[in-house]
Amino acid sequence: MATEGQFEYESVLCVKPEINVYRIPPRTSNRAIRAADWKLDAPDWTGRMRVTARGKVAYVKLEDKVSGELFAQAPVDEYPGIAVETVGDSSRYFVLRIQDDNGHSAFIGIGFGDRGDAFDFNVALQDHFKWVKQEDELKKQAQAPDSTPKLDLGFKEGQTITLNIGQSKKKDRSRPQSSGGLGLLPPPPGGKLAPPPSSRSTNHNTQPSAGGSDTGCLLDLDSSNSNSVAPSNSTTSASSDLWGDFDSVAPK
C-alpha cells in the first residue's frame, strides 16, 4: 500500500556541503542536551546534508560527499519537535532522530562548522512547516460550511412590490402654462395693455413745423378781429378753436 507522500514531487529545501555526525550518550533526565558532552573534536562521520520535502514531510538526508550514497535520513513531520532538537549550549549543534526502512530509530548529534549553515538549516525547516500550516488552514476553511447568516432577498409567497414612476406634482406646478401652446410671455403685473397710437398723435409728431405756421396765422387773424369782437368769451373760444383740432386747419 502506498504511504502518504510517496508519489508526490520531492523538492530540495537546503543543501550544505559539510556536516559532522556524533554519537551521543543516552538521555538520563529531562534537562537540556549539551553539545559539550559530545566528543566535538572527533566526529564519528563527516559528509554532506540535503533537506528535502515531499508533501507535508521534510527529510534530513546525510549523504557521502563523493558518491552521494545515503548514510542516514530523518523524516521530520513537525518542527520544532522530537525529530530535530536544538541543544542548550550552542546554536551550531542539533539532535537528530534517524530512521531506517524498517522503522527503527536512533538519536545522533549533528554539527555545522559555520553558524551561517546552521541558521540556513533552521530557517529551511521553519519555512516549510509554516507553509504546511497555511495549507491546512485553507483546507479547513474550504471544507467547513459557512455558518454566517445569509440575507434572503427573495419574495415570499403572495408578496408584491409597488413602484411609483412619474414626475411629482410640485415640479409640474412650477412651470408656467402657455395658452394655445404658442409660448407667449405672461401679461405685465398691472394687467393692462397700452393702447395703440392714434392717428392724431401720429399727425402731431409728423408735422410739427406746419402746426407752428398755422398757429402764427391764427394768432394774426385773432388779433385783427379783436376790435370787432368785444365780449371776453371770444378769447376763450378762439383759443379753444386754435388748439382744438390741427387737422381741420388748412394751410394758407
Side-chain angles (χ1 to χ4, degrees):
M1 182 177 180
T3 59
E4 182 180 359
Q6 182 176 355
F7 300 106
E8 294 178 338
Y9 176 76
E10 184 178 39
S11 60
V12 178
L13 304 179
C14 180
V15 177
K16 292 302 173 182
E18 185 173 349
I19 187 75
N20 296 324
V21 176
Y22 305 92
R23 290 182 182 179
I24 60 176
R27 184 178 301 180
T28 58
S29 63
N30 292 331
R31 68 181 181 88
I33 302 175
R34 292 171 50 87
D37 298 335
W38 308 345
K39 297 179 180 180
L40 299 180
D41 55 348
D44 295 289
W45 184 85
T46 301
R48 72 177 183 188
M49 184 186 70
R50 283 197 312 133
V51 182
T52 63
R54 188 165 60 243
K56 297 181 179 181
V57 182
Y59 296 87
V60 180
K61 297 183 178 183
L62 306 178
E63 301 172 342
D64 186 79
K65 289 183 179 181
V66 179
S67 63
E69 183 182 358
L70 181 65
F71 171 75
Q73 74 174 359
V76 183
D77 53 4
E78 63 176 348
Y79 182 77
I82 193 173
V84 180
E85 299 179 74
T86 58
V87 299
D89 58 345
S90 177
S91 61
R92 296 189 292 116
Y93 298 92
F94 300 86
V95 176
L96 195 66
R97 186 186 66 177
I98 58 175
Q99 290 183 352
D100 58 10
D101 295 336
N102 297 324
H104 300 98
S105 61
F107 291 93
I108 61 174
I110 60 173
F112 298 93
D114 185 81
R115 294 184 184 276
D117 293 339
F119 177 80
D120 294 342
F121 170 69
N122 189 20
V123 171
L125 292 175
Q126 288 179 353
D127 290 346
H128 171 71
F129 287 101
K130 185 183 297 183
W131 171 81
V132 171
K133 183 178 180 181
Q134 293 176 353
E135 288 292 316
D136 291 341
E137 291 178 355
L138 292 175
K139 288 182 179 180
K140 290 179 180 179
Q141 292 178 2
Q143 295 176 358
D146 189 4
S147 59
T148 57
K150 296 182 179 180
L151 183 62
D152 186 9
L153 299 178
F155 286 98
K156 304 297 188 296
E157 184 177 358
Q159 186 178 5
T160 60
I161 186 171
T162 303
L163 298 177
N164 294 326
I165 302 176
Q167 297 180 351
S168 62
K169 296 182 178 179
K170 184 180 294 184
K171 186 175 181 181
D172 293 338
R173 290 178 180 177
S174 62
R175 180 176 295 180
Q177 298 292 336
S178 59
S179 60
L182 299 178
L184 298 178
L185 294 176
K192 295 181 179 180
L193 296 176
S198 62
S199 60
R200 292 178 180 269
S201 61
T202 304
N203 294 332
H204 279 281
N205 293 333
T206 57
Q207 297 179 359
S209 59
S213 61
D214 292 343
T215 304
C217 296
L218 291 175
L219 289 175
D220 294 338
L221 292 175
D222 186 64
S223 60
S224 61
N225 296 328
S226 59
N227 295 326
S228 61
V229 180
S232 60
N233 293 334
S234 62
T235 305
T236 305
S237 61
S239 176
S240 59
D241 292 339
L242 174 65
W243 302 105
D245 191 0
F246 278 85
D247 294 337
S248 62
V249 179
K252 293 182 180 180

